[in-house]
Amino acid sequence: MTDEISEMVDQRIGSLIASGVIAPAKKRRKGMNWESKLAYEYVQTFYPNFPAWFRVSVGPVPGGQDNPLYYKLRRWADIIIRMPDHISLIEVKMLAKPDVVGQLLNYAVLFPQTPMFEKYWSLPVKLKVVCSLTDEVTKKFIESQGIEVEIWKASNFDAWYEQVILKKNH
């Protein structure tokens, strides 16, 4: 009986799609977390001997309340590195766009409110974007806001470029 109902539903959905009443479900591709690989390889290459945290929530934690809105609005820094004389907040992008400026400036404000890093609150914070690709106008804009830009390609760059920029499917 259940198979018959399932078959009827599938047929009805098929006819609704064919008539244009509803759109077919989009094929969900297994997502590649391109930027995580970029982040890990970058730190391993340039900062292997420094304390580093990945995908860290920054900002105050509301005490004693389970506010669902808090969990939706949390901000996540891609990389935080404890350098000898400062904290480096790094946002990682395969393709850097101007909106990364707002993200990093927000993280800089939130960092000294993050309980996990209280012992580092007195250290200066330096902001950096590590990206595999950007245009010159965007790079200059980001730098004009006091944020360092470093172009660096991880081992997944070619695959990302083919799949995302050139839109070639494998």
Side-chain angles (χ1 to χ4, degrees), residues 82 85-87 111-113 117-125:
R82 167 63 166 98
D85 61 345
H86 70 277
I87 292 293
F111 180 80
Q113 302 172 50
F117 295 104
E118 185 173 3
K119 66 181 176 182
Y120 304 128
W121 287 355
S122 62
L123 291 174
V125 172

PDB file of all heavy atoms in Angstrom, residues 82 85-87 111-113 117-125:
ATOM      1  N   ARG A  82      47.688  33.873  17.474  1.00  0.00           N
ATOM      2  CA  ARG A  82      48.371  34.599  18.548  1.00  0.00           C
ATOM      3  C   ARG A  82      49.814  34.789  18.117  1.00  0.00           C
ATOM      4  O   ARG A  82      50.616  33.867  18.128  1.00  0.00           O
ATOM      5  CB  ARG A  82      48.287  33.810  19.855  1.00  0.00           C
ATOM      6  CG  ARG A  82      49.198  34.282  20.975  1.00  0.00           C
ATOM      7  CD  ARG A  82      48.845  35.705  21.411  1.00  0.00           C
ATOM      8  NE  ARG A  82      49.472  36.038  22.669  1.00  0.00           N
ATOM      9  CZ  ARG A  82      50.608  36.723  22.778  1.00  0.00           C
ATOM     10  NH1 ARG A  82      51.261  37.138  21.713  1.00  0.00           N
ATOM     11  NH2 ARG A  82      51.092  37.004  23.972  1.00  0.00           N
ATOM     12  N   ASP A  85      53.432  39.730  19.339  1.00  0.00           N
ATOM     13  CA  ASP A  85      53.107  41.092  19.783  1.00  0.00           C
ATOM     14  C   ASP A  85      51.709  41.557  19.396  1.00  0.00           C
ATOM     15  O   ASP A  85      51.351  42.714  19.593  1.00  0.00           O
ATOM     16  CB  ASP A  85      54.138  42.078  19.224  1.00  0.00           C
ATOM     17  CG  ASP A  85      54.158  42.089  17.700  1.00  0.00           C
ATOM     18  OD1 ASP A  85      53.602  41.154  17.079  1.00  0.00           O
ATOM     19  OD2 ASP A  85      54.725  43.032  17.125  1.00  0.00           O
ATOM     20  N   HIS A  86      50.902  40.670  18.817  1.00  0.00           N
ATOM     21  CA  HIS A  86      49.544  41.055  18.437  1.00  0.00           C
ATOM     22  C   HIS A  86      48.691  39.812  18.158  1.00  0.00           C
ATOM     23  O   HIS A  86      49.186  38.699  18.141  1.00  0.00           O
ATOM     24  CB  HIS A  86      49.557  41.969  17.201  1.00  0.00           C
ATOM     25  CG  HIS A  86      49.957  41.286  15.927  1.00  0.00           C
ATOM     26  ND1 HIS A  86      51.271  41.091  15.568  1.00  0.00           N
ATOM     27  CD2 HIS A  86      49.216  40.731  14.934  1.00  0.00           C
ATOM     28  CE1 HIS A  86      51.323  40.455  14.403  1.00  0.00           C
ATOM     29  NE2 HIS A  86      50.099  40.222  14.002  1.00  0.00           N
ATOM     30  N   ILE A  87      47.414  40.081  17.938  1.00  0.00           N
ATOM     31  CA  ILE A  87      46.473  39.050  17.502  1.00  0.00           C
ATOM     32  C   ILE A  87      46.177  39.325  16.038  1.00  0.00           C
ATOM     33  O   ILE A  87      45.909  40.450  15.648  1.00  0.00           O
ATOM     34  CB  ILE A  87      45.158  39.108  18.316  1.00  0.00           C
ATOM     35  CG1 ILE A  87      45.388  38.711  19.764  1.00  0.00           C
ATOM     36  CG2 ILE A  87      44.077  38.257  17.672  1.00  0.00           C
ATOM     37  CD1 ILE A  87      45.768  37.254  19.977  1.00  0.00           C
ATOM     38  N   PHE A 111      36.159  41.043  19.033  1.00  0.00           N
ATOM     39  CA  PHE A 111      37.227  40.248  19.646  1.00  0.00           C
ATOM     40  C   PHE A 111      37.450  40.580  21.122  1.00  0.00           C
ATOM     41  O   PHE A 111      37.499  39.676  21.954  1.00  0.00           O
ATOM     42  CB  PHE A 111      38.534  40.389  18.858  1.00  0.00           C
ATOM     43  CG  PHE A 111      39.656  39.586  19.469  1.00  0.00           C
ATOM     44  CD1 PHE A 111      39.746  38.221  19.248  1.00  0.00           C
ATOM     45  CD2 PHE A 111      40.603  40.185  20.284  1.00  0.00           C
ATOM     46  CE1 PHE A 111      40.752  37.473  19.829  1.00  0.00           C
ATOM     47  CE2 PHE A 111      41.618  39.448  20.870  1.00  0.00           C
ATOM     48  CZ  PHE A 111      41.689  38.082  20.642  1.00  0.00           C
ATOM     49  N   PRO A 112      37.578  41.878  21.490  1.00  0.00           N
ATOM     50  CA  PRO A 112      37.814  42.177  22.918  1.00  0.00           C
ATOM     51  C   PRO A 112      36.593  41.958  23.817  1.00  0.00           C
ATOM     52  O   PRO A 112      36.634  42.273  25.000  1.00  0.00           O
ATOM     53  CB  PRO A 112      38.247  43.647  22.926  1.00  0.00           C
ATOM     54  CG  PRO A 112      37.919  44.199  21.607  1.00  0.00           C
ATOM     55  CD  PRO A 112      37.687  43.060  20.659  1.00  0.00           C
ATOM     56  N   GLN A 113      35.541  41.407  23.260  1.00  0.00           N
ATOM     57  CA  GLN A 113      34.370  41.044  24.063  1.00  0.00           C
ATOM     58  C   GLN A 113      34.204  39.522  24.130  1.00  0.00           C
ATOM     59  O   GLN A 113      33.234  39.030  24.692  1.00  0.00           O
ATOM     60  CB  GLN A 113      33.103  41.639  23.438  1.00  0.00           C
ATOM     61  CG  GLN A 113      33.121  43.146  23.298  1.00  0.00           C
ATOM     62  CD  GLN A 113      31.925  43.616  22.489  1.00  0.00           C
ATOM     63  OE1 GLN A 113      30.791  43.233  22.759  1.00  0.00           O
ATOM     64  NE2 GLN A 113      32.178  44.445  21.504  1.00  0.00           N
ATOM     65  N   PHE A 117      39.046  34.720  24.773  1.00  0.00           N
ATOM     66  CA  PHE A 117      40.312  35.386  24.491  1.00  0.00           C
ATOM     67  C   PHE A 117      40.606  36.539  25.461  1.00  0.00           C
ATOM     68  O   PHE A 117      41.403  37.419  25.151  1.00  0.00           O
ATOM     69  CB  PHE A 117      40.323  35.900  23.046  1.00  0.00           C
ATOM     70  CG  PHE A 117      40.275  34.794  22.038  1.00  0.00           C
ATOM     71  CD1 PHE A 117      39.096  34.519  21.350  1.00  0.00           C
ATOM     72  CD2 PHE A 117      41.384  34.002  21.788  1.00  0.00           C
ATOM     73  CE1 PHE A 117      39.033  33.483  20.426  1.00  0.00           C
ATOM     74  CE2 PHE A 117      41.341  32.964  20.870  1.00  0.00           C
ATOM     75  CZ  PHE A 117      40.155  32.708  20.189  1.00  0.00           C
ATOM     76  N   GLU A 118      39.995  36.502  26.634  1.00  0.00           N
ATOM     77  CA  GLU A 118      40.141  37.599  27.585  1.00  0.00           C
ATOM     78  C   GLU A 118      41.601  37.917  27.887  1.00  0.00           C
ATOM     79  O   GLU A 118      41.980  39.085  28.002  1.00  0.00           O
ATOM     80  CB  GLU A 118      39.387  37.284  28.880  1.00  0.00           C
ATOM     81  CG  GLU A 118      39.392  38.438  29.863  1.00  0.00           C
ATOM     82  CD  GLU A 118      38.503  38.193  31.063  1.00  0.00           C
ATOM     83  OE1 GLU A 118      37.908  37.097  31.176  1.00  0.00           O
ATOM     84  OE2 GLU A 118      38.420  39.111  31.897  1.00  0.00           O
ATOM     85  N   LYS A 119      42.448  36.908  27.998  1.00  0.00           N
ATOM     86  CA  LYS A 119      43.847  37.184  28.340  1.00  0.00           C
ATOM     87  C   LYS A 119      44.585  37.897  27.212  1.00  0.00           C
ATOM     88  O   LYS A 119      45.695  38.395  27.415  1.00  0.00           O
ATOM     89  CB  LYS A 119      44.577  35.906  28.752  1.00  0.00           C
ATOM     90  CG  LYS A 119      44.767  34.866  27.682  1.00  0.00           C
ATOM     91  CD  LYS A 119      45.477  33.653  28.279  1.00  0.00           C
ATOM     92  CE  LYS A 119      45.620  32.538  27.283  1.00  0.00           C
ATOM     93  NZ  LYS A 119      46.249  31.367  27.866  1.00  0.00           N
ATOM     94  N   TYR A 120      44.000  37.976  26.021  1.00  0.00           N
ATOM     95  CA  TYR A 120      44.634  38.658  24.885  1.00  0.00           C
ATOM     96  C   TYR A 120      43.984  40.008  24.547  1.00  0.00           C
ATOM     97  O   TYR A 120      44.388  40.654  23.585  1.00  0.00           O
ATOM     98  CB  TYR A 120      44.590  37.772  23.639  1.00  0.00           C
ATOM     99  CG  TYR A 120      45.218  36.426  23.811  1.00  0.00           C
ATOM    100  CD1 TYR A 120      44.528  35.265  23.471  1.00  0.00           C
ATOM    101  CD2 TYR A 120      46.513  36.282  24.317  1.00  0.00           C
ATOM    102  CE1 TYR A 120      45.097  34.010  23.627  1.00  0.00           C
ATOM    103  CE2 TYR A 120      47.095  35.031  24.480  1.00  0.00           C
ATOM    104  CZ  TYR A 120      46.380  33.907  24.127  1.00  0.00           C
ATOM    105  OH  TYR A 120      46.941  32.668  24.276  1.00  0.00           O
ATOM    106  N   TRP A 121      42.987  40.419  25.302  1.00  0.00           N
ATOM    107  CA  TRP A 121      42.248  41.635  24.989  1.00  0.00           C
ATOM    108  C   TRP A 121      43.146  42.871  24.910  1.00  0.00           C
ATOM    109  O   TRP A 121      42.839  43.807  24.187  1.00  0.00           O
ATOM    110  CB  TRP A 121      41.146  41.881  26.013  1.00  0.00           C
ATOM    111  CG  TRP A 121      39.966  40.957  25.886  1.00  0.00           C
ATOM    112  CD1 TRP A 121      39.745  40.027  24.919  1.00  0.00           C
ATOM    113  CD2 TRP A 121      38.851  40.882  26.763  1.00  0.00           C
ATOM    114  NE1 TRP A 121      38.563  39.372  25.141  1.00  0.00           N
ATOM    115  CE2 TRP A 121      37.983  39.872  26.267  1.00  0.00           C
ATOM    116  CE3 TRP A 121      38.491  41.556  27.928  1.00  0.00           C
ATOM    117  CZ2 TRP A 121      36.790  39.548  26.889  1.00  0.00           C
ATOM    118  CZ3 TRP A 121      37.302  41.223  28.543  1.00  0.00           C
ATOM    119  CH2 TRP A 121      36.458  40.236  28.033  1.00  0.00           C
ATOM    120  N   SER A 122      44.232  42.875  25.653  1.00  0.00           N
ATOM    121  CA  SER A 122      45.091  44.073  25.665  1.00  0.00           C
ATOM    122  C   SER A 122      46.039  44.141  24.459  1.00  0.00           C
ATOM    123  O   SER A 122      46.650  45.175  24.216  1.00  0.00           O
ATOM    124  CB  SER A 122      45.916  44.105  26.956  1.00  0.00           C
ATOM    125  OG  SER A 122      46.768  42.971  27.004  1.00  0.00           O
ATOM    126  N   LEU A 123      46.146  43.057  23.708  1.00  0.00           N
ATOM    127  CA  LEU A 123      47.040  43.049  22.546  1.00  0.00           C
ATOM    128  C   LEU A 123      46.402  43.767  21.360  1.00  0.00           C
ATOM    129  O   LEU A 123      45.188  43.717  21.176  1.00  0.00           O
ATOM    130  CB  LEU A 123      47.363  41.610  22.124  1.00  0.00           C
ATOM    131  CG  LEU A 123      48.242  40.809  23.068  1.00  0.00           C
ATOM    132  CD1 LEU A 123      48.344  39.363  22.579  1.00  0.00           C
ATOM    133  CD2 LEU A 123      49.624  41.419  23.162  1.00  0.00           C
ATOM    134  N   PRO A 124      47.243  44.415  20.545  1.00  0.00           N
ATOM    135  CA  PRO A 124      46.700  45.022  19.321  1.00  0.00           C
ATOM    136  C   PRO A 124      46.170  43.934  18.388  1.00  0.00           C
ATOM    137  O   PRO A 124      46.675  42.805  18.378  1.00  0.00           O
ATOM    138  CB  PRO A 124      47.896  45.727  18.685  1.00  0.00           C
ATOM    139  CG  PRO A 124      49.051  45.548  19.593  1.00  0.00           C
ATOM    140  CD  PRO A 124      48.670  44.630  20.708  1.00  0.00           C
ATOM    141  N   VAL A 125      45.161  44.286  17.620  1.00  0.00           N
ATOM    142  CA  VAL A 125      44.558  43.356  16.664  1.00  0.00           C
ATOM    143  C   VAL A 125      44.885  43.845  15.257  1.00  0.00           C
ATOM    144  O   VAL A 125      44.681  45.005  14.936  1.00  0.00           O
ATOM    145  CB  VAL A 125      43.026  43.286  16.861  1.00  0.00           C
ATOM    146  CG1 VAL A 125      42.368  42.469  15.752  1.00  0.00           C
ATOM    147  CG2 VAL A 125      42.687  42.699  18.225  1.00  0.00           C
TER     148      VAL A 125
END
